[in-house]
């Protein structure tokens, strides 16, 4: 499940994706526009800065701006930077794999196998969605519903 930290981080990044290139946005403005506690947002933006997704500027004209174009930032990488691996359990993770203490036969563990499928499905969607696309989806008021064959179908809400 997505934590509030990641949800707020995504909202802030979508906000920054809408700022004119070269311009900055104040934390207070981002927090107010997205109903995020300012102190929490300060910490989140600090993590995103350390991960290389945003730049910060102090003083007059200061604030935050994206470090790369929104089309070059994947939602999956943002979620990983804020929440860690996408896998629901550690034995299904590619990056922090750890065998379960109670596992008798990992190759045949139905829980692990389903969680690996879930991880792959989540990663496919998030890694193939750019911050730019996420922002445009929100502006258009549309959702993508994946058909059984994996092709997207646009549905107006």
């Amino acid at each position: 499940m997505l934590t509030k930290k990641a949800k707020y981080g995504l909202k802030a990044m979508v906000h920054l994706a809408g700022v004119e290139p070269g311009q900055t946005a104040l934390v207070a403005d981002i927090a107010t526009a997205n109903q995020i506690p300012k102190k929490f947002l300060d910490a989140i933006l600090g993590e995103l800065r350390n991960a290389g997704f945003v730049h910060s500027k102090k003083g007059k004209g200061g604030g935050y701006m994206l470090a790369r174009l929104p089309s070059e930032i994947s939602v999956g990488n943002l979620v990983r930077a804020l929440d860690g691996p996408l896998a629901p359990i550690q034995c299904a993770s590619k990056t922090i794999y750890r065998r379960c203490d109670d596992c008798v036969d990992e190759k045949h563990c139905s829980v692990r196998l389903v969680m690996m499928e879930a991880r792959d499905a989540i990663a496919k969607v998030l890694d193939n969605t750019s911050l730019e696309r996420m922002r445009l989806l929100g502006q258009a008021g549309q959702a993508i519903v994946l058909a059984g064959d994996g092709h997207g179908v646009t549905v107006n809400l």
Side-chain angles (χ1 to χ4, degrees):
M1 184 180 309
L2 195 67
T3 64
K4 276 195 174 187
K5 178 169 88 169
K7 181 179 175 184
Y8 290 163
L10 290 174
K11 286 178 151 193
M13 291 296 286
V14 167
H15 185 101
L16 289 172
V19 173
E20 289 290 322
Q23 299 297 310
T24 60
L26 297 173
V27 176
D29 294 341
I30 299 168
T32 300
N34 294 283
Q35 299 181 356
I36 303 170
K38 184 188 173 300
K39 191 170 184 174
F40 194 19
L41 184 57
D42 279 326
I44 292 167
L45 288 171
E47 284 188 43
L48 291 170
R49 183 186 64 241
N50 292 340
F53 291 107
V54 297
H55 292 302
S56 62
K57 228 169 124 177
K58 293 185 186 231
K60 187 176 179 180
Y64 283 90
M65 68 177 77
L66 295 180
R68 293 179 287 203
L69 295 172
S71 60
E72 297 173 356
I73 299 172
S74 87
V75 174
N77 287 334
L78 290 172
V79 172
R80 286 183 190 92
L82 295 169
D83 273 359
L86 300 177
I89 55 177
Q90 279 188 316
C91 67
S93 177
K94 288 184 176 183
T95 57
I96 62 159
Y97 166 84
R98 187 174 66 84
R99 185 183 175 107
C100 296
D101 296 334
D102 60 348
C103 189
V104 178
D105 182 3
E106 193 175 61
K107 279 188 170 182
H108 297 97
C109 176
S110 56
V111 174
R112 178 176 184 262
L113 294 170
V114 169
M115 291 304 120
M116 288 172 63
E117 284 184 30
R119 175 208 63 210
D120 291 345
I122 290 168
K124 181 179 178 181
V125 172
L126 298 182
D127 290 340
N128 290 306
T129 302
S130 69
L131 182 59
E132 177 181 51
R133 181 169 179 266
M134 186 175 175
R135 185 179 73 80
L136 293 173
L137 282 171
Q139 282 182 336
Q142 296 180 330
I144 297 295
V145 179
L146 292 178
D149 62 1
H151 292 91
V153 178
T154 304
V155 179
N156 287 322
L157 299 177

